[in-house]
Amino acid sequence: MSTLTSRIKNLIFLFTALWLCGGCCDDESKGTICEKGFEEINGKCECPEGSFRAYGFCRELADNEWYAVTSGCPCQDTVFFKITGVQGDTAGIRLNDDIIIDPPNPGWSVRSSFAVRYFSLVNGDSIAPLSLPYGHPCNADNFGAAEFYELFYGKFSPSGDTLNMKIIFRDFQTPSIVKDSCFVTFHK
């Protein structure tokens, strides 16, 4: 019985020592560990001024990228919009570049790329859909098959720091039917 008692005492001593060492080894100087792009401010992870928060990410705008929060638009509520290349009268467009949502919503992609017409104009360049009536497929409730084709019509300010965009939503099954539209101002 005494061997069992001494073993129990040894186990209690060992657990007590481990518990005490565990408490003394915490490094209070580490502070709060924040996700990429966020900064620790007063013990909280904040998206710093000059960066933009969307989809749980905090990021600085890349070169040739604009940012907007939409209001009442189907399919997306926050958009990072980038011109990836202009060749003649066409341009490559990337929406929400480098944003990956895990797990992704079925039937919907937060990031995408497509081509548009690009017009260099003295009073600010413009973009328009490359081909009608189709555009970029999207789904307003983020589930199931696409409901709409999004068509983007935009006018850049002469300084290039804003982009006024009209987004037309055409019915996916019958593209000749316009279902909705909204206006969004993107900022650089």
Side-chain angles (χ1 to χ4, degrees):
M1 203 52 130
S2 65
T3 308
L4 181 61
T5 304
S6 78
R7 285 184 183 168
I8 290 173
K9 286 181 181 178
N10 287 340
L11 283 173
I12 291 172
F13 174 76
L14 180 63
F15 286 124
T16 303
L18 288 173
W19 179 74
L20 288 173
C21 283
C24 71
C25 297
D26 289 342
D27 184 0
E28 297 288 330
S29 66
K30 283 185 182 177
T32 305
I33 299 173
C34 298
E35 296 286 329
K36 181 181 175 185
F38 291 91
E39 292 179 0
E40 187 271 327
I41 300 171
N42 298 326
K44 294 181 181 178
C45 293
E46 302 285 343
C47 191
E49 191 173 324
S51 293
F52 299 90
R53 184 177 191 155
Y55 306 107
F57 296 91
C58 175
R59 61 186 271 176
E60 290 182 43
L61 293 179
D63 289 339
N64 219 15
E65 187 174 32
W66 291 265
Y67 166 82
V69 176
T70 67
S71 177
C73 286
C75 299
Q76 285 148 352
D77 61 3
T78 308
V79 181
F80 293 98
F81 179 91
K82 186 194 284 187
I83 305 286
T84 57
V86 178
Q87 295 180 341
D89 67 347
T90 61
I93 300 294
R94 299 227 10 129
L95 296 180
N96 300 324
D97 207 12
D98 301 326
I99 293 180
I100 300 169
I101 293 179
D102 187 27
N105 292 321
W108 183 72
S109 174
V110 69
R111 61 185 176 158
S112 57
S113 59
F114 52 94
V116 293
R117 289 274 182 233
Y118 191 94
F119 305 98
S120 296
L121 302 168
V122 175
N123 64 346
D125 296 352
S126 295
I127 60 172
L130 185 63
S131 61
L132 293 173
Y134 301 101
H136 175 68
C138 72
N139 189 306
D141 62 9
N142 301 339
F143 293 99
E147 292 178 64
F148 304 111
Y149 281 116
E150 291 178 290
L151 294 115
F152 297 86
Y153 298 86
K155 180 75 171 171
F156 294 87
S157 64
S159 64
D161 59 352
T162 59
L163 167 61
N164 291 312
M165 184 88 74
K166 180 177 184 180
I167 307 173
I168 305 287
F169 297 91
R170 292 185 177 270
D171 184 78
F172 192 78
Q173 300 300 321
T174 312
S176 60
I177 298 173
V178 173
K179 300 292 278 189
D180 203 348
S181 67
C182 62
F183 291 90
V184 182
T185 299
F186 287 83
H187 300 275
K188 192 169 177 111

